[in-house]
Amino acid sequence: RAILMSGTRPGYGPRDYLIQLQAASLSTGDPGMRLQTVDATAGLIRTILDSQGFFGIGEPTPAVRLHVNESPNGAGSLGALFRITGYEPRMEIEATRNGTIWSIGGNMSATDDNAMRLVIGNSVGGTAMVINQPGRVGIGMETPVAKLHVMEEPENSGEQGLLFRLSGREPRMELEAQRNGVIYSIAANMTGEADHGMRLRIGNSGSGTALTINQPGRIGIGTDVPMGGLLHIDGSAGGTLLRLS
């Protein structure tokens, strides 16, 4: 059975659409009926609702409850698959387990940043992570005030409150600032030197290492690899080595 609808618009040729109820394909294992919207002029199925309750948009054989397929491939802005508009649009994916609602949502924050944000969390622990419009990321913090804002949650949670960890064979972390072609840095890394451990290093790309604290507990001033005693000062660059006032 089919309902045929035809029409024209100024500047466009005639267009025929069918709203059609037909038997599904036995070869797909679905012997039920399907309700289809067909662009008869183009010879394309635009939407389809099968007997399993699966709905396809641009997809003739939907594999899930809602299956949207860009058509044709590389359609650019015409291939936009999903859009929600309005004054305060909101989208959420929720799962309920043992009385707890776990969610990923996109919504208008209505907070200080006054823009859209992506939120991951649950109904017991609250917000786990937020990415907001200004590009700030909050972990355990609903309204981050820095590019990365990490909040121990709950407070005094011991090992569970661990805020940051880098692991691997040779992990490295650096803070860098550039001024007049010089890179100033504070870094923690695997040295690969004689002490063969982790170290904290302060220096710049112009004059090299200013201060090093390495794994054995040695402090180096003006040297990358402090040796001998617990304090190693290298004065080869000249200048006053020690001043008390």
Side-chain angles (χ1 to χ4, degrees):
R1 297 290 186 269
I3 299 174
L4 174 64
M5 295 183 294
S6 299
T8 60
R9 289 183 60 190
Y12 295 87
R15 204 79 178 179
D16 294 333
Y17 282 91
L18 295 174
I19 297 177
Q20 184 177 50
L21 182 66
Q22 69 170 36
S25 174
L26 292 175
S27 63
T28 65
D30 178 15
M33 299 296 288
R34 291 185 171 183
L35 180 64
Q36 302 178 156
T37 303
V38 180
D39 183 344
T41 303
L44 297 172
I45 296 175
R46 298 303 189 187
T47 65
I48 185 169
L49 176 64
D50 68 17
S51 60
Q52 304 173 91
F54 291 1
F55 187 65
I57 300 176
E59 174 54 56
T61 56
V64 292
R65 293 293 180 190
L66 175 61
H67 191 161
V68 185
N69 185 15
E70 178 192 22
S71 183
N73 292 338
S77 60
L78 295 178
L81 301 183
F82 189 64
R83 185 177 187 183
I84 299 176
T85 60
Y87 184 70
E88 291 188 359
R90 184 182 188 93
M91 177 184 70
E92 289 197 14
I93 300 174
E94 293 185 349
T96 301
R97 294 287 188 280
N98 301 318
T100 300
I101 300 173
W102 308 82
S103 64
I104 300 177
N107 65 292
M108 192 74 174
S109 68
T111 54
D112 292 339
D113 51 61
N114 196 30
M116 293 298 293
R117 65 176 180 174
L118 176 67
V119 182
I120 300 174
N122 65 66
S123 59
V124 175
T127 299
M129 186 172 80
V130 169
I131 304 175
N132 66 12
Q133 196 80 19
R136 303 187 187 109
V137 177
I139 300 177
M141 170 54 64
E142 189 149 0
T143 54
V145 297
K147 289 297 183 183
L148 176 60
H149 189 164
V150 184
M151 176 70 175
E152 179 191 18
E153 187 65 40
E155 294 182 358
N156 303 317
S157 53
E159 292 183 359
Q160 300 299 318
L162 181 66
L163 299 183
F164 188 63
R165 184 176 186 181
L166 295 176
S167 59
R169 178 175 167 77
E170 293 189 1
R172 185 181 187 95
M173 178 181 70
E174 290 195 14
L175 297 175
E176 293 186 348
Q178 296 187 19
R179 294 290 187 279
N180 302 318
V182 178
I183 300 174
Y184 297 85
S185 65
I186 299 177
N189 68 291
M190 189 74 176
T191 66
E193 302 289 351
D195 52 64
H196 200 62
M198 294 297 293
R199 68 174 178 180
L200 176 67
R201 177 185 180 275
I202 301 174
N204 66 68
S205 60
S207 56
T209 300
L211 176 73
T212 297
I213 303 174
N214 66 11
Q215 197 80 23
R218 302 188 186 104
I219 298 174
I221 298 177
T223 178
D224 225 14
V225 188
M227 303 295 289
L230 293 180
L231 176 62
H232 181 175
I233 302 176
D234 186 343
S236 58
T240 303
L241 297 183
L242 180 63
R243 181 178 179 179
L244 299 175
S245 60

